[in-house]
Amino acid sequence: MLLWFVYASITQKCKIVYYWIFRVLFTVKMSLWARAQQLPPESLQKVRTIYGDHFPIEVRHCLAPWIESRIWTGEPEEQQRFFVDELVQEIQAHADLMLSPDMFVTKMKLLDAAKNFHITYSHTPHELFQYMRRALAMEMEVIQTAMGTPFVAQPQTERKYSELITGLQTVRQKVSMVSEEIRGLQANIESFSLEYHECLKHKGHMNYLQQSMTNDRRDLAACLRVQIEETERKLNAKVAQITQSQLELVDHMKENIANLRQLQSQVLDEELIKWKREQQLSGNGVPMQSNLNTIQEWCELLADLIWTTRQQVNNVARINTKTVVELRQPHLAEMLDEMSKTVTGLLSTLVTSTFVIEKQPPQVMKTNTRFTATVRLLVGGQLNVHMTPPRVSVVIISEQQAQLLLKSETQAGKGKQPVECGDILNNTGTMEYQPTSRQLSVSFRNMQLRKIKRAEKKGTESVMDEKLTLLFQSQFNVGGGELVFQVWTLSLPVVVIVHGNQEPHGWATVTWDNAFSPPGRVPFAVPDKVTWGQLAETLRIKFGSATGGDLSEDNLRFLAEKIFRTSLPMNTMDLNAMAVSWTQFCKDALPERNFTFWEWFYMVVKVTRDYLRTLWCDHLIMGFIQKKQAEEMLSKCPPGTFLLRFSDSELGGITIAWVGDGNEVFSLQPFTSRDLMLRSLADRVLDLTQLQFLYPNIAKDDVFSKYYTKPENEMLKNGYVKPVLVTTLPSYMSSSPAYAHSPDSHRNTPSVQSSYFSAATPAQNDSFMDSDLFEQIRAFEPEGLDFDIYNNMSMK
């Protein structure tokens, strides 16, 4: 009754709130329990305290999809009376699937919980139902508090998972039934063999008696004849029975194989492919929803059932070949041979498909730079592959070699090996098995691409357009060497660069491929054109994952204007339907600029991620706004009003536009990463007394003060006083603004160059990295020599 009291104590207002909360949860993207497991330790502990001894946390974990799908359906009270019975059945079904010794303790806890639920709540099932609803609501509150974002769930997906588990459980029961049928068939055949040989013995005795007939022998022979005839009738009946049993057994095994094929297709062709697609999209910043450990559990169940079914088929075939001639059926042997090939093919598909890259290598890979990757065999533990630890090798191949590899009917290793196009150090490793996690995997922690052989370029192609891939290969022994599988898998496309300045274009190639590669494509085909709606979503995700902040519809419209360079339809639907090409995205330079749309966007993301993240997330940076529009907005404001926007002319630059004393709008020379590394943007806003109000009329200290650097009053340990850099405007800004000349002839308002001074040091001059001499040297930069190293040293 305690649970009912907790629920009854909720006010009517709270009940209405929770009703609408659960209505919202129907639009799910990720299960509540999956989100809960990603919480930091202190928040996860709060979730654990929701459940006590009366409801073990193991039940919540193992039955998460089923529980959430049932609780969120909002069942009426008359239907809730079946909740406890159905929960108990689900627990028992789930426990029956736990065959591993590692799961024994969990299995016992589940069975104990099922027994206690039945005893405690069988007469008051609505109490347990309402308790679970309250518990899920409390979980959601903890998640929203910790994550700062609302939770949205997807019962449809969870129901699909529940159906998959139910399907596996059904097949498991049928496979067990087939095992019983085989034992029954074996017993019947053995019984038949005994009676058959006894009958042969009687026939031999009768033949002996007939050789010299006497009255006594004639009577004995007559008795034997009657006994033999009776035995033959029984044997004939048993032959028919055994034949019928064999046919029914074959039909049952065929049905199991068909069901296993369907379930395997659901796991491999839907869930595993979905996970791989999510893994690719995660390269653009999309959060992953699928869990590889869950997929491994399904694959392990499939492996166990397929292997057991294969043994059953082989056992029946063996029984058929060793039985007496009268019971042998040639057509049955052919059917069993075909079934053996089919089920072995299922096992081969399962093994080769579950050899996956758990951690992808970097998709923009720099030569002579260490990188890592991890590959995993999802069914390795179940099939005891680790008993003969397999070795995995890695090579890098071209797009053309990847196409030839997939077109080939034979797997790599049996046929011609692909031609490598580079040398990778530390490219072999042995897979290791972790008993606690039941994972068979190998991590390559110190690979390094020493050199790369480029393919011939066509037209305007560059080395950053060339897509390569890492080929992982191995050989697995299953069943103590009974079966040997040659396996391989390809990484996501990678772009190899030799200099840091090639990185933006490399990421353009990777981002476009990750976002728009069609399913089942020929490596690595992608469309040349996509809709603006598709690209806008990709840019939004890319920006959000890097900076922690989102792009508004106005921001996206600004980006559309920049990439299309023409007037756009006002209707969002029409705008999203417009086609944008790969050339517009990262090949064509923006008007009157020497850089592309992607290069501009990439540098904006980079500077925001590294130096402006908190300001952007706090909505202090307007950012994506045309200079002319900013002037029109500020021209209506009092002097001292300012806004922050990303520069159109300076890559990765952010500028301050403000209203001067004469109501003229000025723009400060953009600050880049190099400037912001020396002094933060918030401190520069503090330095400039001309800036008073953030647009439209917010006092700057009210919003920027928490980002100001606190002054250091103490001396350094070496006894010196640390100098402070301060941003100032030139002295002529105090007089007529006509003296402020714009360094950019395309700008229609003055741009003012700021400087920073220290009480201890003179103003800094341009460094060698900014000089014309450096650019001339860089133009003749040989492969392998990276001036980024010098750049980093000079910054220090």
Side-chain angles (χ1 to χ4, degrees):
M1 296 299 295
L2 176 62
L3 298 178
W4 175 247
F5 176 78
V6 172
Y7 175 73
S9 65
I10 305 174
T11 64
Q12 184 64 28
K13 182 177 179 181
C14 289
K15 292 180 181 179
I16 296 173
V17 170
Y18 285 121
Y19 170 78
W20 284 108
I21 286 175
F22 286 108
R23 285 289 301 272
V24 171
L25 292 176
F26 269 96
T27 54
V28 175
K29 292 186 179 177
M30 193 178 199
S31 75
L32 184 67
W33 189 245
R35 288 287 296 273
Q37 293 177 77
Q38 297 177 359
L39 292 172
E42 60 275 9
S43 299
L44 184 58
Q45 183 58 35
K46 293 179 181 178
V47 173
R48 290 179 60 88
T49 58
I50 296 173
Y51 302 94
D53 295 336
H54 56 279
F55 198 99
I57 196 73
E58 289 82 2
V59 176
R60 178 67 181 98
H61 176 72
C62 295
L63 271 70
W66 185 88
I67 290 173
E68 294 176 26
S69 65
R70 284 298 307 274
I71 296 299
W72 287 338
T73 55
E75 295 179 349
E77 188 166 343
E78 60 270 15
Q79 294 183 14
Q80 295 177 17
R81 67 177 185 271
F82 303 112
F83 179 72
V84 172
D85 292 337
E86 293 176 0
L87 176 63
V88 170
Q89 291 176 6
E90 286 294 322
I91 293 174
Q92 291 174 341
H94 204 96
D96 288 342
L97 292 175
M98 295 181 174
L99 306 176
S100 169
D102 298 339
M103 305 298 292
F104 178 77
V105 175
T106 303
K107 180 177 181 177
M108 290 298 100
K109 287 185 177 180
L110 291 181
L111 294 176
D112 288 343
K115 181 180 178 180
N116 293 333
F117 289 154
H118 179 73
I119 295 173
T120 307
Y121 299 107
S122 59
H123 300 294
T124 56
H126 62 280
E127 291 187 14
L128 184 60
F129 185 89
Q130 300 298 349
Y131 164 75
M132 284 307 305
R133 172 169 287 191
R134 172 63 177 166
L136 294 189
M138 294 172 67
E139 278 187 36
M140 186 174 61
E141 291 175 1
V142 174
I143 291 173
Q144 289 178 336
T145 302
M147 300 294 189
T149 56
F151 167 76
V152 191
Q154 189 175 7
Q156 183 177 3
T157 299
E158 308 306 338
R159 283 196 294 271
K160 187 168 89 171
Y161 289 170
S162 179
E163 292 171 1
L164 178 60
I165 291 295
T166 302
L168 289 169
Q169 170 67 9
T170 301
V171 174
R172 181 176 178 273
Q173 293 172 350
K174 291 183 177 181
V175 169
S176 298
M177 290 172 57
V178 167
S179 296
E180 291 295 330
E181 292 177 11
I182 293 175
R183 282 191 286 270
L185 175 64
Q186 180 83 35
N188 287 336
I189 289 177
E190 290 174 354
S191 175
F192 174 87
S193 298
L194 291 175
E195 294 184 19
Y196 176 76
H197 286 95
E198 187 68 22
C199 184
L200 290 179
K201 181 180 177 181
H202 290 331
K203 284 183 177 181
H205 190 193
M206 189 179 67
N207 291 336
Y208 171 75
L209 293 175
Q210 289 175 347
Q211 291 176 3
S212 56
M213 294 291 288
T214 63
N215 289 335
D216 293 340
R217 290 187 175 186
R218 187 177 293 109
D219 293 340
L220 183 56
C223 291
L224 284 174
R225 184 177 297 106
V226 172
Q227 188 175 355
I228 290 171
E229 289 175 356
E230 180 64 22
T231 303
E232 286 181 340
R233 280 195 297 271
K234 291 182 180 179
L235 289 175
N236 289 333
K238 281 198 172 183
V239 167
Q241 178 188 355
I242 292 173
T243 301
Q244 183 63 27
S245 299
Q246 288 175 322
L247 294 176
E248 291 177 356
L249 180 58
V250 168
D251 288 340
H252 291 162
M253 290 191 295
K254 279 185 177 179
E255 181 184 356
N256 289 345
I257 292 172
N259 290 335
L260 286 171
R261 179 188 290 110
Q262 186 271 328
L263 290 169
Q264 178 166 293
S265 176
Q266 185 177 348
V267 173
L268 300 183
D269 301 337
E270 295 180 25
E271 300 305 326
L272 187 57
I273 293 298
K274 175 184 172 185
W275 177 83
K276 290 182 178 180
R277 179 60 181 151
E278 288 182 2
Q279 186 188 49
Q280 185 175 20
L281 290 173
S282 69
N284 285 357
V286 180
M288 290 196 68
Q289 300 175 14
S290 300
N291 190 325
L292 191 59
N293 292 335
T294 301
I295 297 175
Q296 174 170 315
E297 291 177 7
W298 298 335
C299 291
E300 287 178 333
L301 284 171
L302 281 170
D304 178 59
L305 294 173
I306 292 173
W307 182 258
T308 301
T309 301
R310 183 176 181 274
Q311 288 179 316
Q312 290 174 345
V313 172
N314 293 340
N315 284 342
V316 175
R318 178 181 51 79
I319 292 172
N320 186 57
T321 58
K322 291 188 176 182
T323 189
V324 296
V325 177
E326 284 75 6
L327 291 178
R328 295 179 188 173
Q329 301 182 49
H331 68 283
L332 181 62
E334 295 175 1
M335 294 169 60
L336 292 170
D337 184 60
E338 187 64 30
M339 291 169 59
S340 179
K341 292 179 181 178
T342 301
V343 75
T344 301
L346 286 178
L347 186 64
S348 175
T349 300
L350 183 63
V351 172
T352 55
S353 299
T354 55
F355 182 57
V356 298
I357 304 175
E358 182 177 13
K359 179 184 178 183
Q360 291 282 341
Q363 288 191 264
V364 176
M365 186 180 299
K366 192 173 181 182
T367 54
N368 300 307
T369 302
R370 186 180 71 88
F371 67 92
T372 62
T374 301
V375 291
R376 177 170 160 189
L377 181 64
L378 303 184
V379 295
Q382 186 66 39
L383 297 177
N384 292 323
V385 174
H386 58 282
M387 300 304 290
T388 307
R391 289 188 62 79
V392 181
S393 62
V394 190
V395 297
I396 187 167
I397 61 175
S398 66
E399 180 176 344
Q400 182 182 15
Q401 289 294 314
Q403 293 171 4
L404 294 175
L405 182 63
L406 290 181
K407 287 180 181 179
S408 175
E409 294 182 356
T410 58
Q411 296 176 329
K414 292 183 179 179
K416 185 178 179 181
Q417 281 289 98
V419 178
E420 302 175 27
C421 60
D423 294 335
I424 300 179
L425 295 180
N426 305 316
N427 66 331
T428 59
T430 302
M431 301 192 82
E432 298 179 354
Y433 181 67
Q434 302 296 331
T436 54
S437 62
R438 294 182 56 81
Q439 293 181 9
L440 181 68
S441 62
V442 55
S443 293
F444 297 89
R445 297 183 177 86
N446 294 291
M447 287 194 291
Q448 189 176 109
L449 182 61
R450 294 294 297 169
K451 63 179 181 179
I452 190 70
K453 181 181 179 182
R454 302 287 189 181
E456 294 184 4
K457 302 297 176 290
K458 301 177 182 178
T460 60
E461 288 183 347
S462 69
V463 294
M464 285 80 75
D465 295 325
E466 182 181 6
K467 288 181 275 192
L468 308 163
T469 181
L470 268 62
L471 170 65
F472 295 80
Q473 303 175 91
S474 187
Q475 175 177 295
F476 299 146
N477 296 326
V478 177
E482 179 182 350
L483 297 173
V484 179
F485 298 108
Q486 302 285 343
V487 299
W488 56 266
T489 187
L490 295 174
S491 74
L492 293 174
V494 301
V495 175
V496 176
I497 63 175
V498 295
H499 304 304
N501 60 350
Q502 295 174 321
E503 188 174 284
H505 193 125
W507 276 113
T509 301
V510 166
T511 300
W512 188 278
D513 189 277
N514 285 345
F516 310 123
S517 57
R521 63 170 174 175
V522 175
F524 292 105
V526 286
D528 183 62
K529 291 184 178 180
V530 297
T531 65
W532 167 249
Q534 292 173 298
L535 181 59
E537 179 65 10
T538 298
L539 297 177
R540 185 187 68 80
I541 292 172
K542 193 80 175 177
F543 187 91
S545 66
T547 66
D550 202 2
L551 293 179
S552 66
E553 290 299 321
D554 289 339
N555 298 152
L556 294 174
R557 188 172 187 87
F558 169 87
L559 295 175
E561 292 172 352
K562 183 172 285 290
I563 199 170
F564 285 116
R565 313 165 197 177
T566 183
S567 58
L568 302 175
M570 295 301 297
N571 186 284
T572 302
M573 186 175 297
D574 293 338
L575 172 60
N576 288 340
M578 292 180 64
V580 57
S581 68
W582 163 253
T583 302
Q584 289 173 293
F585 177 65
C586 72
K587 289 289 188 180
D588 293 342
L590 294 173
E592 302 175 345
R593 305 294 180 211
N594 61 354
F595 48 80
T596 66
F597 167 84
W598 168 257
E599 289 173 326
W600 180 86
F601 179 79
Y602 178 86
M603 295 305 294
V604 164
V605 172
K606 190 173 182 180
V607 73
T608 305
R609 178 197 66 195
D610 294 343
Y611 300 102
L612 308 173
R613 176 191 291 261
T614 53
L615 299 181
W616 175 266
C617 292
D618 210 10
H619 306 290
L620 305 184
I621 299 175
M622 191 167 292
F624 299 98
I625 181 174
Q626 298 284 357
K627 186 172 186 179
K628 184 176 180 181
Q629 184 181 356
E631 293 168 359
E632 293 174 353
M633 293 165 57
L634 290 172
S635 64
K636 303 173 185 177
C637 299
T641 306
F642 69 98
L643 60 80
L644 307 173
R645 53 174 290 271
F646 297 120
S647 171
D648 290 317
S649 59
E650 186 82 22
L651 284 177
I654 186 167
T655 183
I656 303 175
W658 82 98
V659 183
D661 293 337
N663 288 328
E664 185 172 2
V665 179
F666 297 93
S667 289
L668 205 60
Q669 179 174 300
F671 299 114
T672 63
S673 296
R674 185 174 302 174
D675 304 310
L676 300 176
M677 181 169 30
L678 298 175
R679 188 160 178 80
S680 72
L681 184 61
D683 287 342
R684 293 177 184 275
V685 169
L686 172 64
D687 293 340
L688 298 172
T689 57
Q690 294 85 350
L691 309 181
Q692 297 295 321
F693 304 98
L694 180 66
Y695 181 88
N697 58 358
I698 306 173
K700 74 174 182 180
D701 287 344
D702 290 348
V703 289
F704 282 96
S705 59
K706 60 183 176 181
Y707 300 113
Y708 296 156
T709 302
K710 296 180 180 179
E712 297 181 7
N713 297 325
E714 298 180 1
M715 289 188 180
L716 299 178
K717 292 182 179 180
N718 55 12
Y720 290 106
V721 177
K722 185 177 181 179
V724 178
L725 301 175
V726 178
T727 305
T728 63
L729 294 179
S731 57
Y732 61 75
M733 284 300 297
S734 59
S735 58
S736 172
Y739 290 100
H741 298 288
S742 172
D744 187 346
S745 61
H746 302 297
R747 297 179 180 175
N748 49 17
T749 59
S751 289
V752 180
Q753 181 176 3
S754 65
S755 57
Y756 44 85
F757 298 95
S758 165
T761 59
Q764 296 186 5
N765 296 321
D766 291 341
S767 70
F768 169 67
M769 296 296 293
D770 298 317
S771 66
D772 292 337
L773 176 59
F774 172 77
E775 293 299 330
Q776 295 174 19
I777 295 175
R778 192 183 185 100
F780 294 96
E781 182 179 349
E783 284 194 4
L785 181 59
D786 189 358
F787 275 97
D788 288 343
I789 298 175
Y790 179 86
N791 186 20
N792 294 334
M793 292 175 61
S794 65
M795 288 298 99
K796 296 177 182 178

